Amino acid sequence: MPTSLSGRDFLKLLDFTTPEIKYLLKLSRQFKNLKLTGTPHRYLEGKNIVLLFQKTSTRTRCSFEVGAMDLGMGVTYLDPGSSQIGTKESIEDTARVLERFYDGIEFRGFAQADVEALADNASVPVWNGLTTEWHPTQMLADILTVQEEFGEDVSGRTLVFMGDCKNNVARSLMVVCAKLGMNFVACGPEDCMPAADVIDACAPIFEEMGGTCKLTTDVTEGVTGADVVYTDVWVSMGEPDEVWGPRIAELTPYRVTSEVMALAKPEAIFLHCLPSFHDTNTAIGAQKAEQFGITEMEVTDEVFEGRQSRVFEEAENRMHTIKAVMYATLS
Ligand code: CP
Ligand code: NVA
């Protein structure tokens, strides 16, 4: 039976089967081809979507907006301060209003329970644009980038996440690796390891799909032989300011440097969901440099700008993959 995701929410990758994830990746490649050849694809003309952001964004917002416009849809953007949600109106009531206006709802916020509540109360598809627990649209772009490098079949490839392995991106990477038969390595300090809920959920999937999952505090053990080295910021959106000091102290040994990349396969690539603190050309980067005396955080500028880095291809792929998610669920 052909795969159909019509009417489905996109809240976390654990909700999707391996064939469904592969279908979204295939659709993404087709949309990328249409975009790059300048072929119009206004397949969803007449529909409208709303984007609800309780946290800041560049890539996710722009991907939903451009993706929707390319598909012929209208878009409303609601920033953290300009709707009633959370302050004067509950998520449940907001959902029951927005479903009457819109064909789909994107939500970026804090608790996963919030996006789940939105989906439970809205009859239209709800897409998770990042919560504290998960960042599922990011993973599609990441794997599309891996496929572009190594071919469509990514099973057996090894992806190492370095640093804060308990965050939304690392958790989601563990799931997508499990679903696609890849090997996942979380490399970071003991107290930054993924929580038991995600490890337990992924264990039977790794078993079934033939991939492996390793948690290690040892950089050499973690990175040797990797195909993909991935990192993310050391402090995620919504975390308190006080965590910066301890996080910098415990995660500095897990910074992705040229020496770390040299442990991976010669053809390995470097990925980062972005934004990244690879220099001091940001307000926060400059502030932390002054406060803690470090000019680079999770990745050195050399690696970020180096030959193995695919971070801007990965960022572009957010647009093609988010377009695929919208098309698959709205058509
Ligand atoms: N990677 C990512 O989600 O980027 P934004 O925070 O800019 O959307
Ligand atoms: N872990 C990061 C990802 C940003 C795209 C955060 O939640 O801030």
Side-chain angles (χ1 to χ4, degrees), residues 9-12 91 105-121 126-131 134:
D9 298 314
F10 192 79
L11 305 181
K12 61 183 189 305
I91 288 176
I105 303 170
E106 184 274 358
F107 178 83
R108 167 172 285 199
F110 294 87
Q112 179 73 11
D114 290 344
V115 76
E116 306 268 355
L118 199 54
D120 284 348
N121 288 278
V126 172
W127 309 295
N128 179 359
L130 181 148
T131 58
W134 303 110

Side-chain angles (χ1 to χ4, degrees), residues 108 130 135 138 167-169 232-233 235-237 273-275:
R108 167 172 285 199
L130 181 148
H135 194 7
Q138 178 70 49
N167 80 11
N168 43 14
V169 169
D232 184 13
V233 290
V235 177
S236 286
M237 290 183 279
C273 55
L274 305 183

Side-chain angles (χ1 to χ4, degrees), residues 4 63 73 82 84 88 109 117 122 133 139 144 162 184 192 211 218 250 258 263 276 309:
S4 169
S63 297
M73 295 194 284
S82 65
Q84 315 286 20
K88 284 172 69 182
E133 291 94 330
M139 295 316 109
L144 181 60
M162 300 280 293
F184 177 78
C192 285
D218 187 288
E250 63 183 348
S258 295
L263 295 167
S276 163
S309 177

Side-chain angles (χ1 to χ4, degrees), residues 202-241:
C202 287
I205 311 172
F206 277 115
E207 175 91 24
E208 184 197 337
M209 298 304 300
T212 59
C213 182
K214 177 157 79 178
L215 314 184
T216 180
T217 57
D218 187 288
V219 174
T220 305
E221 187 195 333
V223 184
T224 299
D227 297 288
V228 182
V229 180
Y230 198 122
T231 192
D232 184 13
V233 290
W234 288 344
V235 177
S236 286
M237 290 183 279
E239 294 199 276
D241 236 23

Side-chain angles (χ1 to χ4, degrees), residues 41-219:
H41 43 282
R42 298 174 65 83
Y43 303 148
L44 298 178
E45 214 141 37
K47 293 188 187 288
N48 295 292
I49 65 163
V50 61
L51 314 180
L52 284 177
F53 278 80
Q54 297 185 328
K55 290 174 176 169
T56 52
S57 169
T58 297
R59 277 146 292 273
T60 309
R61 174 185 174 179
C62 295
S63 297
F64 273 100
E65 289 209 15
V66 174
M69 291 187 282
D70 283 353
L71 289 167
M73 295 194 284
V75 187
T76 302
Y77 172 72
L78 292 176
D79 70 32
S82 65
S83 78
Q84 315 286 20
I85 191 168
T87 47
K88 284 172 69 182
E89 197 157 35
S90 67
I91 288 176
E92 290 75 6
D93 289 356
T94 304
R96 290 182 292 170
V97 172
L98 294 179
E99 69 171 10
R100 290 168 184 257
F101 289 62
Y102 295 101
D103 301 285
I105 303 170
E106 184 274 358
F107 178 83
R108 167 172 285 199
F110 294 87
Q112 179 73 11
D114 290 344
V115 76
E116 306 268 355
L118 199 54
D120 284 348
N121 288 278
S123 56
V124 298
V126 172
W127 309 295
N128 179 359
L130 181 148
T131 58
T132 302
E133 291 94 330
W134 303 110
H135 194 7
T137 61
Q138 178 70 49
M139 295 316 109
L140 296 177
D142 299 342
I143 298 299
L144 181 60
T145 313
V146 175
Q147 288 181 322
E148 288 172 346
E149 197 67 32
F150 298 118
E152 191 180 331
D153 182 6
V154 293
S155 64
R157 295 280 171 188
T158 299
L159 184 150
V160 182
F161 184 92
M162 300 280 293
D164 184 17
C165 306
K166 64 180 169 10
N167 80 11
N168 43 14
V169 169
R171 289 167 54 87
S172 306
L173 281 168
M174 187 192 282
V175 176
V176 84
C177 286
K179 294 269 180 182
L180 296 177
M182 296 174 70
N183 306 314
F184 177 78
V185 181
C187 185
E190 254 344 314
D191 66 347
C192 285
M193 283 299 170
D197 71 311
V198 61
I199 296 173
D200 293 349
C202 287
I205 311 172
F206 277 115
E207 175 91 24
E208 184 197 337
M209 298 304 300
T212 59
C213 182
K214 177 157 79 178
L215 314 184
T216 180
T217 57
D218 187 288
V219 174

